[in-house]
Amino acid sequence: MEAELWFSPLVEAAGDHTLLFAPEAAEILRRRLASHPRHHCEEVRKFTVEAHRDARAVTRWFEEMLWADLVPSAAAERHVRSELDRVLRALASGGQAADDLSRWIQHYLPRLPSGVRRFDDAWRIQVASSERLGLEPPDDPFLRPPSAITEARALVQRELFVGVAAHSDGVELSSPPADGSRLIVAPGLRKVRLDVVSTLATEPAPVRVQLAENQSVRLPIAVVQWLDGNGATTMSVAHGGAASDALVARSADSAGASCAVHLADGRIMLYGRAGSETGRVPAASGERRRRSLAMSPDGLALAWIEDGAAVVHDLRTGAERPVSETSEPGDLVQVLFTSDAEEPARVYAGEDRVSVLGRQGASLAAHGVSLGDSLWSSDDASCIAGIGRSGKLWVWDSEGPDTESLADGVTTVSGTPDGRLLVWATGDGTLWYRRSGAIGTGVVGAAPWQVTGLAAAHDGGVVAAVGGDSKLLVWELRGTPSSPRSLGLRFCADRVHALSDGGWAVSGSGGPVEVRTEDGRRYHVTPDTQDPVPADEVPAWARGCVLAVVREPSSSGFQGMADRMAEIAAQGVDCLLIRHADENPGSEDVPLPGGMRFNADFQAMVLSAQQHGLRVVVEIEPGTGFEDTVVDRYSGGLLEDVRDLLDQDIDGVCLVYEGSLGHGVLNDVRHLLDGYGDRLLVRIHPTMDWAVEELDFGGPSTGDVGCHVVVPGWDEPLARAVRAGDLGAVRWGADRSYAAVLTSVLGVRLSAGPGAQWGHSVPERLTLTQQTFAAAVLLGLPGCPVLPLALLNQTVLPALTRLRRDHLALSRGTCEVVDLGLPEILAVLRRHGDETVLCLANSGTREERPRVPFDRLTAEEAVLLLDLLDGTMMPCSPSVPAELVIEPHGVRWWRLMPAARTPATGE
């Protein structure tokens, strides 16, 4: 009987001393035991406890849970809850013991009876143990909400740093953060789960990315946008995943699709004119692959080549049919739609012969022609142009196929639907054209890059081109070469199509994305499409960065800073500014320069900062009165101190002194930093002196160089405005407001050129609450806020610093002070590219509800104001101003988002 049991299907596994029953068999046996008299069950339990007294603790716990469910009662339920909570706390404690416990839980907990597994903590234990081991949780038979999984994972997760970098084709996520990537904080353990959403999509669809340790994931993003003749976006489609092609219907029928995106996995996504998904064509089955996709002008049909034959797909019915085979020589290399959508044109290519089977069965052929896969046709196939593999342009038109190529070195070709205008581009970026019936060719103009996409407006008066960057260039066809009009895009475009309404459809990849973490945090990552600052200007990492001031009385505090660098980085800090301690300014035991620069704790702090993506700038006090006349006497010692710090891998130095140091000294220091590359020079003025402060920037016209960032002593106007609650009214005169001071500051043209920037410090003679508010105000201004690190623990400041890091408009954008007529409210508009953020600060002691007129936002159409702190939306249009709410001593930032646009009649 023992042998029969041993080898029976009731036993899942057997060892020398144990039998492991199948869960179903164990459940039946437990219920059968429960039907026996109570004393019998207790005797069995006593025997089992004694026999297993030396077993693993987790084994004994498992058996305890089996007995607790055997005889249900209120006491048993309390005991189960207590035991589950105990295991849950053990899992959350971390360490190797928790990992070992997780492996046993994966084995035991699914075998517990349903009466125990119904408890929410039992499910949390399963999820938490799976998270510790880097596994996905099992299916939940009790169908708890998805939030239960997130809550359970959070019990064992910790905050991890993930790198995010926006590229021309999409976004790259890395763990640990790759060099040059933006640092974000996300909950995780052995993997991080992030949702990536393209903010260009009309109907965003998040893509879940699971990032394991020591892994980098690149997510391509395909984008198609419709622009009107002025370049304004009227519709946008964005899809996570690589796309092999994007097709656009020139004048989509109401029943058809406006856009089709052919993904790398073979699926075809269909979108309507409003930007919403209207359907999908599944990938071809088996090993079959589709290529050479084409879309009919009305958007009612697709065609492609599959297994060497042409296939037509009706988008209204979903039916597919093969196109009749022909006896044309050569291989089928391309299909394209003419006006007759029922029968697409087919292109056959042999070694030295090309045949084009056009509408109504007409065949055009040319000998001695070698054709690639780039072909264009007019609507009626009366004019067909193709580019050979060697870059030769061949044309078939009403006069028959050309026996000589029209041009050499051609990269792309297009034309008007009626075939009367043909345009093409050569490898050097020159655009050419030829009109039907005309003799010779003409030059449209020249692009600054090799053209990858080309289109001609239907009336033949305008030509547009893209070349893989964030610009659409548009030329008016005047008969002589002309300069193009540049329309900015928020992604990298490689194809452009002319639409029947005079607009353009542009396709490409990349663009801004929003990265969402499991705990609800959102990071907006925008690729910088603006022209880069010249290499001899401010380092790229320092443009608009937040400088967190750390004052250390001695070297003993550096090890503590190194240990909490992860916490500091999570607060959104870009750079640490190590300053002398106020308490002991004359002591030799200070963290700069001298013997301290070689201290091991100081070096550990610098290394920890670098590992967490932070920069370190160290203060030097050269003293006062060192004018050009004493440069030779003083400059050598200062340069030696700076060089020693740079050799310790410091990212920059900050000079603090009264008066003028002299441009000879500044030149020497700046040139020394430039020699190390990517280093920052900051100057802090203890008092306000406009004439001296502007001189610190140097003067490129005279060959002088100076500081990248100058922090003037103009914090007193801000301190007065905070104390008086009078921050925003723009008044002029002796007692002018902070808004007026800020307006004049923004109007100052920095002599050092585009790289120079002002720094803004927090007034010291304020209460903690007032200082926190002042710091929040400065985070919304251009330049570099200089904030005490201790302040960044205060309420909303970490959220604001992270938002500033994630929105280029806040760190690099222009700034305009907006007068809302309320003395308590300071309002500024920050712009970078097409990103606009409205920053409001309420210096008053009561809640304010400012009305923001539409015309003050300088938007072209109705917008939505997205609160970057809580995610709420507020509409604003010419007829309905936005009424915003801002609490006392509160700061709020709203991003302008395009409102949903209702097409006008006939659109």
Side-chain angles (χ1 to χ4, degrees):
M1 184 174 66
E2 181 180 343
E4 290 180 357
L5 175 62
W6 191 286
F7 295 106
S8 74
L10 300 178
V11 176
E12 187 174 280
D16 292 341
H17 304 286
T18 59
L19 291 177
L20 179 65
F21 285 101
E24 298 81 4
E27 180 76 17
I28 293 173
L29 291 173
R30 277 196 302 271
R31 295 306 168 198
R32 185 175 297 176
L33 178 60
S35 66
H36 285 71
R38 181 66 176 269
H39 70 88
H40 177 73
C41 296
E42 291 175 352
E43 287 295 324
V44 174
R45 180 178 184 179
K46 181 180 178 181
F47 167 79
T48 306
V49 170
E50 178 66 21
H52 294 169
R53 67 179 183 274
D54 296 326
R56 291 176 178 269
V58 67
T59 303
R60 299 196 304 271
W61 176 85
F62 170 67
E63 292 181 343
E64 185 74 11
M65 292 297 95
L66 294 178
W67 287 108
D69 182 68
L70 199 61
V71 183
S73 67
E77 181 169 321
R78 286 195 299 272
H79 180 64
V80 170
R81 292 185 184 277
S82 175
E83 289 298 302
L84 292 175
D85 180 68
R86 185 166 66 92
V87 171
L88 205 52
R89 283 186 280 109
L91 282 175
S93 64
Q96 183 61 43
D99 288 347
D100 292 340
L101 178 60
S102 297
R103 295 183 184 93
W104 284 103
I105 285 173
Q106 292 292 309
H107 172 74
Y108 280 126
L109 203 139
R111 300 174 178 280
L112 287 176
S114 59
V116 175
R117 288 186 288 113
R118 66 179 173 85
F119 287 91
D120 288 343
D121 273 355
W123 174 243
R124 293 188 183 102
I125 289 173
Q126 281 189 284
V127 175
S129 62
S130 298
E131 184 70 4
R132 291 208 67 90
L133 300 175
L135 306 173
E136 289 301 305
D139 294 334
D140 181 13
F142 298 96
L143 302 178
R144 295 174 179 88
S147 59
I149 295 181
T150 302
E151 294 168 359
R153 284 175 174 156
L155 296 174
V156 298
Q157 288 175 332
R158 55 188 174 88
E159 290 199 333
L160 301 177
F161 290 96
V162 176
V164 183
H167 297 289
S168 59
D169 62 342
V171 63
E172 183 179 12
L173 306 166
S174 54
S175 176
D179 291 342
S181 61
R182 180 168 297 170
L183 208 66
I184 71 171
V185 181
L189 199 61
R190 284 184 167 81
K191 65 173 63 172
V192 178
R193 298 167 187 84
L194 301 167
D195 286 333
V196 180
V197 181
S198 171
T199 60
L200 297 182
T202 303
E203 295 185 358
V207 177
R208 170 57 61 94
V209 176
Q210 299 196 52
L211 191 66
E213 294 175 296
N214 300 313
Q215 184 182 23
S216 177
V217 174
R218 198 167 186 127
L219 175 66
I221 297 175
V223 181
V224 184
Q225 283 194 340
W226 278 250
L227 312 176
D228 63 19
N230 296 318
T233 303
T234 59
M235 194 270 275
S236 185
V237 167
H239 197 288
S244 59
D245 203 358
L247 311 171
V248 172
R250 291 199 300 267
S251 53
D253 185 275
S254 58
S258 292
C259 172
V261 179
H262 187 204
L263 299 178
D265 62 10
R267 292 177 299 153
I268 302 174
M269 311 297 296
L270 304 172
Y271 297 92
R273 191 63 178 88
S276 57
E277 183 182 330
T278 59
R280 301 184 181 189
V281 180
S285 60
E287 298 297 323
R288 294 183 299 164
R289 293 290 182 269
R290 299 170 180 146
R291 58 184 178 87
S292 181
L293 261 70
M295 192 174 196
S296 63
D298 56 11
L300 295 176
L302 294 174
W304 59 75
I305 298 174
E306 188 175 316
D307 286 343
V311 176
V312 174
H313 181 98
D314 191 322
L315 295 180
R316 291 165 295 187
T317 64
E320 293 183 5
R321 63 176 179 82
V323 178
S324 303
E325 293 290 340
T326 70
S327 57
E328 296 294 326
D331 298 324
L332 180 60
V333 296
Q334 194 165 350
V335 293
L336 59 143
F337 275 101
T338 62
S339 301
D340 184 2
E342 296 298 323
E343 196 74 11
R346 284 94 67 206
V347 183
Y348 297 85
E351 291 186 2
D352 61 350
R353 173 183 168 88
V354 173
S355 301
V356 180
L357 190 64
R359 66 179 305 195
Q360 299 176 351
S363 179
L364 301 173
H367 295 274
V369 175
S370 175
L371 192 65
D373 58 358
S374 181
L375 199 75
W376 172 86
S377 170
S378 63
D379 271 0
D380 60 359
S382 61
C383 180
I384 298 176
I387 302 174
R389 291 185 177 88
S390 61
K392 294 182 179 295
L393 177 63
W394 306 90
V395 180
W396 295 259
D397 55 21
S398 57
E399 300 177 359
D402 288 349
T403 55
E404 298 291 338
S405 65
L406 186 60
D408 292 325
V410 177
T411 60
T412 184
V413 62
S414 186
T416 54
D418 59 12
R420 295 185 178 182
L421 175 70
L422 189 68
V423 292
W424 63 93
T426 50
D428 60 358
T430 304
L431 275 65
W432 302 78
Y433 74 95
R434 188 189 75 167
R435 294 193 183 276
S436 178
I439 299 176
T441 61
V443 175
V444 178
W449 21 247
Q450 182 170 306
V451 176
T452 60
L454 187 63
H458 289 200
D459 61 4
V462 180
V463 176
V466 293
D469 68 357
S470 58
K471 291 183 178 64
L472 172 67
L473 300 184
V474 180
W475 288 263
E476 292 186 8
L477 202 57
R478 300 173 179 171
T480 57
S482 61
S483 299
R485 182 165 57 108
S486 178
L487 303 178
L489 306 171
R490 300 188 65 197
F491 62 101
C492 293
D494 51 29
R495 293 290 184 271
V496 60
H497 312 265
L499 302 175
S500 58
D501 60 3
W504 311 97
V506 187
S507 62
S509 58
V513 298
E514 185 177 80
V515 181
R516 303 171 182 173
T517 64
E518 279 196 300
D519 59 356
R521 282 178 277 192
R522 298 186 175 192
Y523 298 91
H524 191 86
V525 183
T526 305
D528 191 358
T529 58
Q530 302 298 302
D531 293 333
V533 172
D536 60 347
E537 297 294 347
V538 64
W541 63 265
R543 295 173 63 192
C545 75
V546 176
L547 300 174
V549 178
V550 180
R551 296 184 183 271
E552 285 295 331
S554 69
S555 63
S556 60
F558 284 127
Q559 184 58 54
M561 286 184 59
D563 294 340
R564 64 187 187 95
M565 202 60 69
E567 171 194 342
I568 295 173
Q571 294 172 338
V573 173
D574 301 300
C575 178
L576 296 175
L577 173 56
I578 311 297
R579 297 202 62 183
H580 282 297
D582 290 337
E583 300 92 333
N584 197 11
S587 170
E588 295 180 359
D589 190 17
V590 291
L592 39 114
M596 191 62 60
R597 57 182 173 253
F598 301 113
N599 183 281
D601 288 345
F602 181 68
Q603 293 173 334
M605 183 273 295
V606 174
L607 179 61
S608 179
Q610 293 171 341
Q611 290 173 340
H612 289 86
L614 298 179
R615 305 282 181 154
V616 177
V617 172
V618 174
E619 173 189 326
I620 296 179
E621 294 185 8
T624 59
F626 294 100
E627 306 295 340
D628 288 338
T629 56
V630 293
V631 167
D632 293 338
R633 177 168 61 86
Y634 181 77
S635 182
L638 176 60
L639 293 179
E640 181 180 348
D641 287 340
V642 172
R643 182 181 293 107
D644 286 341
L645 285 170
L646 295 176
D647 288 340
Q648 299 303 309
D649 213 14
I650 297 299
D651 296 286
V653 296
C654 173
L655 305 178
V656 180
Y657 54 90
E658 294 278 1
S660 172
L661 188 64
H663 279 294
V665 176
L666 281 180
N667 264 298
D668 288 345
V669 175
R670 173 64 182 275
H671 284 306
L672 177 59
L673 266 71
D674 290 345
Y676 281 76
D678 207 29
R679 298 299 198 271
L680 185 69
L681 179 57
V682 183
R683 160 79 196 267
I684 293 181
H685 282 264
T687 58
M688 186 172 181
D689 187 343
W690 280 91
V692 173
E693 289 156 359
E694 287 194 73
L695 288 175
D696 284 333
F697 285 120
S701 61
T702 62
D704 290 336
V705 292
C707 301
H708 298 112
V709 179
V710 175
V711 185
W714 60 32
D715 56 352
E716 185 54 34
L718 177 58
R720 290 199 306 266
V722 170
R723 285 192 291 263
D726 184 9
L727 193 67
V730 179
R731 297 193 310 273
W732 299 95
D735 187 26
R736 55 184 183 169
S737 68
Y738 183 71
V741 173
L742 183 59
T743 300
S744 63
V745 168
L746 296 175
V748 174
R749 186 176 177 212
L750 303 182
S751 59
Q757 48 192 343
W758 293 112
H760 310 280
S761 58
V762 177
E764 296 182 353
R765 294 178 296 279
L766 295 175
T767 66
L768 178 60
T769 300
Q770 291 172 335
Q771 281 193 325
T772 303
F773 171 68
V777 172
L778 296 181
L779 286 170
L781 301 183
C784 293
V786 182
L787 313 180
L789 179 62
L791 271 186
L792 293 177
N793 293 319
Q794 302 296 318
T795 56
V796 75
L797 289 183
L800 294 180
T801 53
R802 288 191 291 265
L803 286 171
R804 181 183 174 93
R805 183 178 58 192
D806 295 337
H807 290 74
L808 292 179
L810 292 167
S811 62
R812 303 186 181 186
T814 60
C815 184
E816 173 192 352
V817 179
V818 179
D819 187 2
L820 297 181
L822 296 173
E824 302 86 358
I825 302 296
L826 173 68
V828 296
L829 276 175
R830 305 295 311 276
R831 290 190 179 87
H832 182 84
D834 60 354
E835 181 182 70
T836 302
V837 177
L838 172 66
C839 304
L840 298 188
N842 178 13
S843 59
T845 57
R846 64 180 183 180
E847 180 181 277
E848 295 291 343
R849 294 178 174 268
R851 291 169 62 86
V852 181
F854 177 79
D855 59 351
R856 301 313 304 271
L857 301 178
T858 61
E860 297 181 357
E861 297 181 346
V863 295
L864 293 173
L865 298 180
L866 169 65
D867 191 318
L868 294 178
L869 288 172
D870 64 18
T872 58
M873 292 275 198
M874 179 65 66
C876 186
S877 66
S879 59
V880 182
E883 183 173 323
L884 306 176
V885 179
I886 182 168
E887 63 275 9
H889 280 112
V891 169
R892 286 279 173 174
W893 294 344
W894 287 269
R895 184 179 176 207
L896 273 64
M897 307 288 288
R901 179 177 178 271
T902 303
T905 304
E907 287 190 316

